[in-house]
Amino acid sequence: MINKILVFLSFILVSCGSSNILLSPEMCASTGTWAVDYSKVEEQQLVKQRGLGFYITKKVWTPLGLFKTHTVYLRDLLKLGEIECSDVYNLDYTVYGDWQDALRSFVPFMGSKTVSISGTIDPITKTREYRELIRDSKIIIYEEE
Amino acid sequence: MKRFLPFSLFFVLVVLLFGCARIKYTTREKRVEIFEHGGRNVEFTVIGRKNFYLWGHFPKDSTVYLDEVVHQATGYFDPAEISIEDFQSFPQFLASFFSIGLYTPRSYRIKGYAIRPKQYDQ
């Protein structure tokens, strides 16, 4: 029984642990920065009021993960949340494995990891879009001071 | 059936309890630009390691502060266009394998562009 347990644990370990994921910012032109840095109170309020925050996760298969690098493009990750690179204000990045990855790793020679990015959309860009929307629809809005 | 049941219970337990390591990449104080817009005069590579124990359960969350790591390792500042590689090297894999996951080290490789201070040129 102990032998079976050891083999089983080793198998999971081999499968889930052996992943090699590269996050590339290639072709992701942005004026944004790393980190969710809500330094200004006004920014915090803006994020809450206008729903500017985002959280995107993706399950990544890593075949022969110990020997082969799997590249994930930041641009493609953002597209999953229908966000352009130019819209990003700030973000951070997390790599982890959960029970689903452990299950997925039972496929021979395949590893699995979850990558996630969270952050905020550029309030200035959004405000500009908002203004254009208002201008095009010719609706006048009185903003409270 | 009797032989299959303990094994399937064990399977469920392991999958539920299984926790791979979690590494978060962010910055602590200084702004790190996602894209390089010019001005950075040097390319850098930093390799670091994070140790996890008991199948990645301890510590559950581990954070890499990009600004700190780059500055401490190279002395450069204002990094940008950072690419992050999260991996396990072969010796680390062997360490994990032979410890049955009790010790699970992982590595990261950070590449990007930064500003090299003028005193380095002298």
Side-chain angles (χ1 to χ4, degrees), chain B residues 98-118:
Chain B
F98 287 112
S99 68
I100 329 166
L102 295 174
Y103 171 58
T104 315
R106 288 197 70 81
S107 288
Y108 55 84
R109 186 182 291 118
I110 299 167
K111 285 184 183 177
Y113 300 90
I115 295 173
R116 183 182 160 115
K118 281 183 180 173

Side-chain angles (χ1 to χ4, degrees), chain A residues 6 8 12-13 16-17 19-23 25 28 30 32-35 66 69 92-95 99 106, chain B residues 10-11 14-15 18 20-27 31-32 34-35 37 82-86 88 96 100 106:
Chain A
L6 287 176
F8 193 77
I12 292 176
L13 191 71
C16 194
S19 63
N20 191 338
I21 299 174
L22 171 70
L23 177 77
C28 188
S30 172
T33 61
W34 279 84
L66 193 62
T69 305
D92 58 25
Y93 168 65
T94 308
V95 184
W99 64 272
F106 277 93
Chain B
F10 175 73
F11 171 84
V14 167
V15 168
F18 194 87
C20 287
R22 175 188 289 260
I23 304 180
K24 183 179 181 178
Y25 298 90
T26 184
T27 64
R31 291 168 71 86
V32 176
I34 296 168
F35 197 73
H37 296 278
I82 281 173
S83 63
I84 298 165
E85 191 177 347
D86 183 283
Q88 196 171 37
S96 303
I100 329 166
R106 288 197 70 81

Side-chain angles (χ1 to χ4, degrees), chain A residues 20-26 58 60-62 68-74 76:
Chain A
N20 191 338
I21 299 174
L22 171 70
L23 177 77
S24 171
E26 203 174 300
K58 189 187 179 186
V60 182
W61 286 109
T62 54
K68 200 177 163 189
T69 305
H70 185 89
T71 305
V72 175
Y73 291 95
L74 182 60
D76 295 339

Side-chain angles (χ1 to χ4, degrees), chain A residues 45 49-50 130 140-145:
Chain A
Q45 287 173 348
Q49 283 171 5
R50 299 190 178 174
Y130 182 65
I140 299 165
I141 292 180
Y142 296 97
E143 289 186 348
E144 287 181 337
E145 287 186 6

